[in-house]
Amino acid sequence: MGESEMLSTAMFQLPPTPTSPLSSAAMSDAGGSIDETGSRDALATALHVIRTERDALTQLESRYESDVIAQEGFANSVDAISTSINSGGKLVVVGVGKSGKIGQKAVATMNSFGIRCAFLHPTEALHGDLGMIGEVNVLVTI
């Protein structure tokens, strides 16, 4: 067995089964192994999250199909962003906490598509970075 095969085999071996009197829940919290019940619970949780996300997307789809105000708002947002980008402006995304992380990812994605985009943290905006927003820019808050 070559060195790379030994490394890949060693990386995927399960740890030995614990022999201490700790419960499986305590072991998983402490970084130990998770028993079959824990695996089933994890799968049930994952399925619940998937269903919840699917239901939310279905509701969003339904809203955009049937709600004239939502349709107009979406169209206006796309128009504003397109007009800004076509006029040499940029999209400025603002968010804090987890929303900020999502905003930073969106900015990275937009920039990879060639769309001028920047992230602005709200606190930094108050301390001088607000000047990065110009007249033809569009601000998106998350």
Side-chain angles (χ1 to χ4, degrees):
M1 190 178 294
E3 185 178 326
S4 64
E5 291 175 53
M6 287 178 13
L7 285 173
S8 64
T9 303
M11 289 180 0
F12 295 105
Q13 290 178 345
L14 294 174
T17 304
T19 56
S20 73
L22 291 173
S23 71
S24 62
M27 286 304 296
S28 63
D29 288 344
S33 64
I34 298 174
D35 65 9
E36 189 175 322
T37 303
S39 296
R40 282 193 301 255
D41 290 346
L43 178 59
T45 299
L47 290 171
H48 173 73
V49 169
I50 291 168
R51 279 187 211 99
T52 302
E53 296 295 328
R54 181 196 61 217
D55 293 346
L57 287 171
T58 299
Q59 289 176 0
L60 184 62
E61 177 187 24
S62 176
R63 163 97 20 108
Y64 280 123
E65 285 178 339
S66 62
D67 188 332
V68 174
I69 294 172
Q71 293 168 355
E72 289 173 358
F74 187 88
N76 290 339
S77 297
V78 171
D79 289 343
I81 292 168
S82 298
T83 301
S84 173
I85 299 303
N86 293 333
S87 300
K90 67 180 172 264
L91 184 63
V92 179
V93 179
V94 178
V96 67
K98 291 198 185 331
S99 298
K101 297 291 185 193
I102 293 166
Q104 289 171 337
K105 173 60 177 152
V107 166
T109 301
M110 295 289 187
N111 283 323
S112 71
F113 290 146
I115 298 169
R116 291 189 56 213
C117 195
F119 178 78
L120 177 61
H121 191 281
T123 303
E124 301 299 324
L126 293 174
H127 292 278
D129 287 354
L130 198 56
M132 75 183 299
I133 302 173
E135 287 184 31
V136 295
N137 296 155
V138 171
L139 186 67
V140 174
T141 58
I142 301 177

